[in-house]
């Protein structure tokens, strides 16, 4: 018999399947995505160490780098992850970890995985990549040299907004000897029921994420010309379009676009009928949110500007509905918002 804080057969099955999807030696699941992000960093950092993090990130991830880690005497430097040279320039003798997202939440910045991971590997620095927007179904950072990938399995892996879950993938040595002692003793344990739900979600992940990617492309193409700016890495208008295509099989269901300020953004959200207002992503339903007042509300206004989170920025998750139905809903909402 095994104490369930340490392991459970259903949880272990999920970990084995995520590791296979990732092409990783091992995986450890967590209670939430943020538990996975926190554990993947704290398990390997200590007072006096230094981390280099990407500027564009989920609000809670920026809280980790800007607030939590410094409390423990871990220095952090925030850089523009679109520029690999920025990581190199930030390296110190005590630098232990590079931590970044690609695509980034919510600005859809794309980081050059191979270039950044090469810089890290040459200097003995561990790369931790938040791959939640893509999942291993669309992007496998370890193929480009990443050491660790971290996930909110709440998102695409579940795919229906039913449960919370997180996962960290890496080498057998990292998972067993670095991560596991931390998680066993701090307890961010995934429940067996939630693991079972995510296991069921994985069965349809590939089908869902590719169909949603196709729908998101159609919606993104519609929005171009209707709004001031569309941030979709698989549209030719995105400044890192070619890099995104080299690293990803498809862009996934999520992208962002800008309107003229918070008032117009909220007017558009209020006018939606089919698309739900929600902070979640990866859901099979179409969802939209205003990051500056929700997912990034805990980030100060000056840091929001640094990250590219403007008052008019909206993030959309395009679901499995007929793409034309989503477009029609956006069309009428845009008209009501004066666009």
């Amino acid at each position: 018999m095994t104490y369930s804080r340490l392991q459970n057969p259903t949880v272990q099955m999920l970990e084995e399947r995520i590791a296979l999807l990732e092409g990783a030696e091992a995986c450890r699941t967590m209670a939430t995505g943020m538990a996975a992000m926190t554990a993947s960093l704290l398990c390997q950092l200590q007072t006096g160490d230094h981390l280099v993090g990407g500027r564009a990130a989920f609000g809670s991830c920026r809280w980790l780098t800007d607030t939590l880690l410094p409390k423990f005497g871990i220095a952090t430097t925030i850089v523009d992850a679109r520029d690999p040279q920025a990581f190199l320039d930030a390296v110190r003798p005590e630098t232990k970890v590079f931590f970044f997202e690609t695509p980034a939440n919510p600005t859809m910045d794309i980081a050059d995985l191979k270039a950044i991971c090469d810089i890290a590997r040459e200097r003995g620095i561990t790369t931790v990549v938040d791959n939640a927007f893509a999942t291993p179904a669309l992007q496998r950072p370890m193929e480009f040299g990443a050491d660790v990938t971290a996930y909110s399995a709440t998102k695409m892996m579940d795919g229906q907004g039913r449960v919370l879950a997180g996962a960290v993938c890496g080498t057998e040595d990292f998972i067993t000897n670095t991560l596991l002692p931390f998680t066993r003793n701090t307890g961010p344990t995934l429940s067996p029921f939630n693991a079972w739900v995510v296991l069921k979600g994985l069965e349809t992940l590939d089908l869902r994420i590719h169909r949603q990617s196709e729908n998101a492309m159609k919606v993104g193409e519609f929005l171009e010309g209707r709004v001031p700016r569309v941030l979709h890495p698989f549209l030719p208008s995105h400044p890192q379009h070619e890099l995104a295509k080299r690293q990803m099989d498809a862009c996934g269901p999520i992208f962002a676009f800008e309107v003229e300020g918070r008032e117009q953004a909220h007017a558009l959200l209020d006018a939606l009928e089919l698309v739900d207002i929600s902070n979640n992503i990866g859901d099979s339903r179409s969802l939209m949110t205003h990051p500056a007042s929700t997912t990034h509300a805990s980030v100060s206004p000056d840091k929001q500007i640094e990250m590219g989170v403007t008052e008019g920025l909206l993030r959309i998750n395009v679901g499995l509905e007929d793409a034309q139905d989503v477009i029609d809903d956006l069309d009428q909402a845009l008209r009501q918002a004066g666009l």
Side-chain angles (χ1 to χ4, degrees):
M1 181 178 292
T2 301
Y3 191 50
S4 283
R5 178 163 54 81
L6 308 182
Q7 192 49 282
N8 171 274
T10 308
V11 173
Q12 183 176 358
M13 182 181 291
L14 175 61
E15 292 168 348
E16 290 170 355
R17 292 189 184 179
I18 293 175
L20 286 169
L21 281 170
E22 187 72 41
E25 292 180 2
C27 171
R28 192 73 180 179
T29 55
M30 314 274 165
T32 68
M34 282 313 304
M37 304 301 158
T38 305
S40 70
L41 299 180
L42 284 181
C43 74
Q44 59 179 317
L45 291 167
Q46 61 185 7
T47 300
D49 288 343
H50 175 241
L51 172 145
V52 183
R55 64 159 193 138
F58 179 50
S60 294
C61 289
R62 278 297 300 262
W63 185 86
L64 291 180
T65 59
D66 298 356
T67 303
L68 181 67
L69 295 182
K71 285 184 177 181
F72 292 96
I74 300 163
T76 62
T77 301
I78 302 302
V79 301
D80 187 339
R82 294 172 296 183
D83 179 12
Q85 183 66 36
F87 281 89
L88 180 59
D89 292 343
V91 170
R92 306 176 187 173
E94 65 272 21
T95 304
K96 295 296 191 296
V97 173
F98 287 173
F99 176 50
F100 60 95
E101 305 174 6
T102 183
N105 182 2
T107 57
M108 305 305 292
D109 289 359
I110 303 295
D112 189 328
L113 283 163
K114 185 178 187 307
I116 296 169
C117 293
D118 284 351
I119 291 168
R121 186 148 295 184
E122 289 169 4
R123 292 157 181 81
I125 297 166
T126 301
T127 48
V128 178
V129 180
D130 178 349
N131 196 38
F133 266 33
T135 80
L138 298 183
Q139 177 174 263
R140 290 158 293 281
M142 289 183 179
E143 294 180 358
F144 298 92
D147 298 300
V148 178
T149 55
Y151 292 97
S152 171
T154 308
K155 311 302 191 294
M156 253 79 70
M157 291 186 187
D158 170 23
Q160 295 182 57
R162 299 170 296 189
V163 296
L164 297 172
V168 178
C169 296
T171 64
E172 185 70 48
D173 178 65
F174 176 83
I175 297 297
T176 301
N177 298 317
T178 302
L179 181 68
L180 189 53
F182 180 89
T183 58
R184 276 183 169 171
N185 292 292
T186 57
T189 310
L190 179 64
S191 77
F193 176 77
N194 286 12
W196 177 79
V197 173
V198 177
L199 274 166
K200 301 305 291 181
L202 288 183
E203 294 176 4
T204 59
L205 172 61
D206 187 72
L207 290 170
R208 286 185 286 104
I209 203 165
H210 282 93
R211 176 59 181 273
Q212 288 180 249
S213 295
E214 293 172 6
N215 285 353
M217 275 293 294
K218 293 175 182 177
V219 174
E221 290 167 348
F222 159 75
L223 285 169
E224 280 204 311
R226 285 294 299 275
V227 298
R229 189 178 181 209
V230 176
L231 300 168
H232 189 307
F234 265 50
L235 288 174
S237 58
H238 194 280
Q240 296 163 292
H241 173 65
E242 293 302 324
L243 175 60
K245 290 182 70 176
R246 288 200 303 270
Q247 295 183 168
M248 305 178 71
D249 297 336
C251 192
I254 307 150
F255 67 94
F257 63 94
E258 285 185 317
V259 296
E260 299 294 342
R262 180 178 293 213
E263 184 177 350
Q264 193 169 64
H266 283 184
L268 193 157
L269 287 169
D270 289 341
L272 293 169
E273 296 177 356
L274 173 66
V275 180
D276 284 338
I277 302 173
S278 173
N279 299 348
N280 196 31
I281 53 172
D283 201 295
S284 57
R285 299 169 300 161
S286 289
L287 309 170
M288 196 185 299
T289 194
H290 179 248
S293 60
T294 57
T295 59
H296 291 67
S298 63
V299 179
S300 64
D302 59 324
K303 286 183 180 176
Q304 286 187 11
I305 293 170
E306 172 204 342
M307 297 165 71
V309 179
T310 66
E311 287 293 317
L313 188 72
L314 290 162
R315 189 192 68 197
I316 184 169
N317 171 90
V318 182
L320 290 171
E321 304 95 343
D322 187 287
Q324 190 58 51
D325 288 342
V326 178
I327 289 169
D328 289 345
D329 190 32
L330 286 169
D331 181 51
Q332 64 83 24
L334 286 164
R335 282 188 276 108
Q336 290 196 54
L339 288 160

